Amino acid sequence: MRMGSRHNSVTDSIATWHWRVLVGVVIVCLVIPISTVGAASAPDSIDTLDGHDVATRSARLFQAQGLGPTSGGGTNLHREWYVNDDPFLWGPEKFWHDGAQGAGYGSNNFKYTDANGNSATAVNWVHWYMGDRSGRQEVEVYVPTQQATSTVLYEVSLNNSAYASATIRQKEAFGWTQLGAYDFNGGDVVITTNDNTTLEDADDLNDYGRRLIGIDAIRMRCVERCPGQQLAVPTGVVYSGQALRWNRVPGVSSYEIEWRYSSETAVTRGTKNCRTADCWFQFFPDISRRFQARVRAQSGDMTSAWSDWWIVGAQNVAPGAVTGVTYASGTITWIDLPEANAYDVELHDSGGGIRTIHNAACCALRLQFTGVDRNLQHFRLRATNGLDGPWTAWTAITRPTQELNPTPPRNVIVDTVNEIQLRITWEPPSNSGSAAISNYRVVVSRPAIGSLAAWSSGTVNVAGTSFATGNLRYGTTYTVTIATVNHDNRTSPTVSARATTDGRQTTPPGVVRDLRAVAHGTQELRATWSAPSNSGSSGIRNYQVVVSRPAIGTDAAWTSGTVTVNGTSFTSGTLRYGTTYTVTVKAVNGDRLSSQSASVRATTSTQQFERPGNVRDINVDPHGERKLRVTWSTPSSSGSSGIRNYRVVVSRPAIGSLAEWTTGKLPVVGTSYTTGTLRYGTTYTVTVTAVNQHSKVGTSASAQARTRNQVTALGSAAS
């Protein structure tokens, strides 16, 4: 792998790193196809490294992998792996060592350093800048096959705030190793680790020898809610009852609707939030005119394709009256009309209430005499094709005099949860009888075994379609019987299935040992512990950590919930300043959960880090034909620690058909920056923000400048 490193002299080390990058850029340029060189109208890009353009490497990597600002209408490949094989290394150069050839990612070398777990402060640390990320992102770390023998904590920050952390036991892993999956909101993601966030120290000698931290590539890809990802198109779109109706896309509650008269080009738009299975948007067009409507789903920055246009009143003719209406044994039936697209049913109860069922399926509706429909007395129907047909006359409803039994549940499946528990799942019956389903009756039993008498759980009433047993016997066959019960208290015949519990008796692990918690930074806690002396019937799989605090004044009590940790250390997310928290840990082996550890308490720091001031004297001037040169002075105050770097953003608004453009946040060391190649004669805005060593961000300062106009062969300026 290739890396930039920061040594004792920041300026000298960064300059050295720049020359390495420049050599790489020259080599890359040698293989660029000739057709791409010297284009007359190049798009915005950061294609040239010069001056203090140290941070453009991130933008270049993002663009190369389809993850950064694109030009010419390109599509970002957010669901492809973005690999950062070029992290920032900080600390004395003498403590960073080249790893063994061939043991790291790809053909590039990796770095390693000594673990420093016994130290209160870090000597070496490393940052992987992953850019602005959205959606659920899967993160993996490449662990070298040599010189990586420590337990390393990786910390994930989002917009300069601690977001999550995870531990990898490098001595037990190699190659791409999962760090976790995290939900991001489009903010700037940085992954860090330090030489003192390990559980071990370099002097800890064991079968692995010196404790070393291997530093190599990290990769990330979007797996859910990805930018540009298509949502499912809404289905069942119909205009009925003065509303556009459709079926809700699972998990999506936001929709955009547009409609227009067929003879016009003007479109009217609206939005609707929907959290029920059937969605609707009410509007009142002139139904004497032919019009059309459609809908699409939206979630964050994801948008589905539009549904097909629903054409209303294709010939300005409403459907006729529904015929063949019958009612028997709780079921309404009717004859389909060829000009109808859907049907509306109105139900009238004894209390005078009327409920409308829109878009009823043709051509039967079974009534369930429960809930709001328990006291139904009359019904009527009409057909619709966007224009509504006439209602039928009210028809009396007679509750079925014969209470009919439901049929048994379908597709009963019994699985083992663990060695002493079973889980049963099933599907609802095909027929609920004379009333809707009320519940299911489940019985778990076994016959006599030797001197043990036969056993039964007795009848258990279950509202849903799944059930988990309590603790049963090891290696024993049980019979499960299930019956359906409807609201008329009619019961179906039973259906049975059999399953055998695991024959292997398991034991839980012992309690974790030596649990300790201390303040870590200003708003975090770090907990460490030792593995149980007894792992139980199988090896330790992971640990469950809970951080909590009691109520404070008007603030309610708080808990982190159960956090699963693979190693024997844990760093919390951002907590309250100067507040005492309680930490507990449980061990999990392959089968069982240990008892909870004795709790420990720790208090976060009372120190609150301060932000730096805004940069001063920002100045932007043309530099060459198509570049800008930015300079500034350091802030009057660096806040609670020295300045680490600056964030520079170069942007321009939309120009005609060209979309607006930005470099994104570029970390720059020093007080000057030269852009890459930009557009001729275009005004850009440059924003600079200071970041101190405590990752606190100051107020940004901005300035504008225009690149030079393109000069023609005759010497006249072209805009």
Side-chain angles (χ1 to χ4, degrees):
M1 72 178 294
R2 58 189 185 281
M3 302 208 180
S5 61
R6 180 180 179 181
H7 317 312
N8 289 327
S9 170
V10 175
T11 304
D12 292 343
S13 66
I14 293 297
T16 302
W17 186 87
H18 285 182
W19 283 111
R20 294 174 182 170
V21 174
L22 283 170
V23 171
V25 171
V26 171
I27 294 173
V28 172
C29 290
L30 292 177
V31 297
I32 295 177
I34 294 176
S35 61
T36 67
V37 179
S41 179
D44 298 304
S45 61
I46 300 293
D47 287 336
T48 305
L49 292 172
D50 58 11
H52 287 274
D53 198 10
V54 63
T56 59
R57 79 204 192 295
S58 295
R60 289 166 54 82
L61 287 171
F62 298 161
Q63 286 183 333
Q65 302 189 49
L67 293 164
T70 59
S71 59
T75 300
N76 291 346
L77 304 176
H78 290 270
R79 281 170 283 179
E80 302 295 328
W81 285 111
Y82 161 60
V83 181
N84 185 343
D85 196 17
D86 188 20
F88 264 153
L89 302 182
W90 306 79
E93 183 179 19
K94 63 182 180 181
F95 294 143
W96 286 110
H97 312 288
D98 290 331
Q101 289 290 336
Y105 171 72
S107 60
N108 297 310
N109 197 13
F110 68 96
K111 296 284 187 179
Y112 71 91
T113 190
D114 290 314
N116 194 23
N118 292 338
S119 174
T121 58
V123 176
N124 284 353
W125 62 99
V126 57
H127 291 185
W128 288 265
Y129 293 95
M130 308 304 290
D132 293 343
R133 313 296 295 191
S134 297
R136 186 163 182 80
Q137 299 278 341
E138 182 180 10
V139 184
E140 293 186 352
V141 174
Y142 195 91
V143 179
T145 57
Q146 299 182 41
Q147 292 146 338
T149 59
S150 197
T151 303
V152 181
L153 176 74
Y154 296 84
E155 297 177 305
V156 181
S157 68
L158 178 64
N159 289 334
N160 287 322
S161 296
Y163 184 75
S165 62
T167 301
I168 290 180
R169 298 169 67 87
Q170 289 193 344
K171 60 182 178 290
E172 298 176 0
F174 62 89
W176 288 115
T177 303
Q178 188 173 51
L179 191 66
Y182 307 97
D183 293 306
F184 296 123
N185 60 4
D188 187 23
V189 177
V190 180
I191 301 175
T192 64
T193 191
N194 304 332
D195 60 1
N196 73 327
T197 60
T198 60
L199 297 185
E200 306 90 358
D201 194 82
D203 295 332
D204 296 338
L205 298 178
N206 56 17
D207 293 342
Y208 299 100
R210 291 170 61 202
R211 293 292 193 172
L212 305 176
I213 305 171
I215 300 299
D216 209 332
I218 287 183
R219 67 183 183 181
M220 179 182 290
R221 68 176 175 184
C222 186
V223 293
E224 295 178 16
R225 301 182 301 282
C226 307
Q229 180 179 358
Q230 285 283 308
L231 299 174
V233 179
T235 59
V237 180
V238 59
Y239 186 82
S240 173
Q242 296 182 314
L244 188 71
R245 304 174 187 278
W246 64 92
N247 299 323
R248 181 173 181 260
V249 176
V252 179
S253 59
S254 181
Y255 298 86
E256 184 178 10
I257 302 93
E258 65 178 25
W259 62 276
R260 69 187 182 192
Y261 292 108
S262 300
S263 60
E264 300 177 359
T265 58
V267 174
T268 302
R269 289 188 173 90
T271 58
K272 176 72 174 183
N273 285 325
C274 172
R275 299 185 181 277
T276 60
D278 299 317
C279 302
W280 58 272
F281 176 77
Q282 192 166 35
F283 60 100
F284 304 95
D286 180 357
I287 61 174
S288 67
R289 302 175 60 189
R290 186 171 183 236
F291 68 95
Q292 52 194 25
R294 62 182 183 176
V295 62
R296 67 181 178 184
Q298 294 179 318
S299 178
D301 55 3
M302 294 184 291
T303 303
S304 76
W306 286 102
S307 67
D308 291 336
W309 285 104
W310 174 263
I311 301 176
V312 181
Q315 296 178 350
N316 293 332
V317 176
V322 179
T323 61
V325 179
T326 62
Y327 171 80
S329 301
T331 300
I332 303 169
T333 58
W334 63 93
I335 297 174
D336 190 20
L337 293 177
E339 69 271 25
N341 297 82
Y343 296 88
D344 295 337
V345 182
E346 280 192 348
L347 304 173
H348 175 255
D349 62 35
S350 59
I354 294 179
R355 184 170 73 89
T356 303
I357 300 174
H358 292 283
N359 200 18
C362 182
C363 286
L365 176 66
R366 181 169 180 79
L367 302 179
Q368 306 291 343
F369 295 91
T370 61
V372 296
D373 293 338
R374 177 168 291 279
N375 300 310
L376 293 178
Q377 288 192 334
H378 301 88
F379 75 89
R380 64 178 183 175
L381 294 93
R382 71 178 177 190
T384 180
N385 60 6
L387 301 178
D388 297 326
W391 288 104
T392 64
W394 287 103
T395 301
I397 295 174
T398 304
R399 186 182 177 90
T401 56
Q402 181 183 5
E403 295 180 345
L404 304 176
N405 291 337
T407 55
R410 298 172 298 158
N411 300 328
V412 177
I413 299 174
V414 185
D415 289 318
T416 56
V417 176
N418 51 43
E419 73 283 357
I420 55 173
Q421 286 184 308
L422 299 175
R423 179 174 176 80
I424 307 102
T425 60
W426 59 91
E427 295 180 6
S430 57
N431 189 335
S432 64
S434 55
I437 301 302
S438 169
N439 60 277
Y440 300 89
R441 293 175 180 170
V442 180
V443 177
V444 181
S445 62
R446 63 160 174 78
I449 302 175
S451 60
L452 289 175
W455 174 88
S456 172
S457 64
T459 299
V460 180
N461 291 317
V462 179
T465 55
S466 66
F467 172 71
T469 70
N471 293 341
L472 305 174
R473 291 177 56 86
Y474 299 102
T476 302
T477 299
Y478 289 83
T479 299
V480 178
T481 60
I482 309 176
T484 307
V485 182
N486 68 17
H487 278 282
D488 284 335
N489 203 30
R490 304 293 295 185
T491 305
S492 74
T494 60
V495 62
S496 300
R498 303 177 72 192
T500 303
T501 54
D502 195 332
R504 178 175 59 91
Q505 184 171 352
T506 62
T507 56
V511 179
V512 301
R513 301 172 298 158
D514 306 324
L515 176 60
R516 300 173 185 173
V518 296
H520 181 73
T522 57
Q523 290 181 267
E524 297 176 350
L525 296 179
R526 179 168 173 78
T528 60
W529 58 89
S530 300
S533 57
N534 177 12
S535 65
S537 53
S538 59
I540 298 298
R541 184 173 65 191
N542 52 45
Y543 297 90
Q544 295 183 356
V545 181
V546 177
V547 181
S548 62
R549 65 161 174 78
I552 302 174
T554 58
D555 288 345
W558 175 88
T559 178
S560 64
T562 300
V563 180
T564 300
V565 178
N566 291 325
T568 54
S569 68
F570 168 75
T571 300
S572 72
T574 302
L575 304 173
R576 293 166 58 105
Y577 290 108
T579 303
T580 300
Y581 290 82
T582 299
V583 181
T584 59
V585 181
K586 293 181 181 179
V588 184
N589 63 18
D591 309 288
R592 307 284 291 277
L593 186 68
S594 77
S595 299
Q596 181 174 288
S597 67
S599 61
V600 296
R601 303 174 73 194
T603 303
T604 54
S605 172
T606 57
Q607 178 186 5
Q608 297 191 27
F609 289 160
E610 297 178 358
R611 299 177 181 275
N614 61 305
V615 299
R616 300 173 297 163
D617 307 325
I618 183 170
N619 185 61
V620 186
D621 293 308
H623 183 76
E625 285 190 342
R626 299 171 61 189
K627 298 180 182 179
L628 297 175
R629 175 79 170 169
V630 192
T631 60
W632 60 89
S633 300
T634 58
S636 57
S637 169
S638 63
S640 54
S641 63
I643 299 299
R644 183 179 72 198
N645 58 27
Y646 298 88
R647 286 186 171 179
V648 178
V649 177
V650 182
S651 62
R652 64 156 174 77
I655 303 173
S657 61
L658 289 175
E660 62 182 3
W661 175 88
T662 179
T663 61
K665 302 168 186 174
L666 305 175
V668 173
V669 177
T671 56
S672 64
Y673 169 74
T674 301
T675 71
T677 303
L678 304 173
R679 295 178 59 85
Y680 287 111
T682 303
T683 298
Y684 289 83
T685 299
V686 181
T687 302
V688 182
T689 309
V691 183
N692 66 19
Q693 296 291 346
H694 289 151
S695 296
K696 294 299 182 181
V697 181
T699 304
S700 60
S702 300
Q704 290 186 327
R706 181 182 176 90
T707 53
R708 293 190 173 97
N709 291 337
Q710 185 174 8
V711 178
T712 67
L714 298 177
S716 60
S719 59

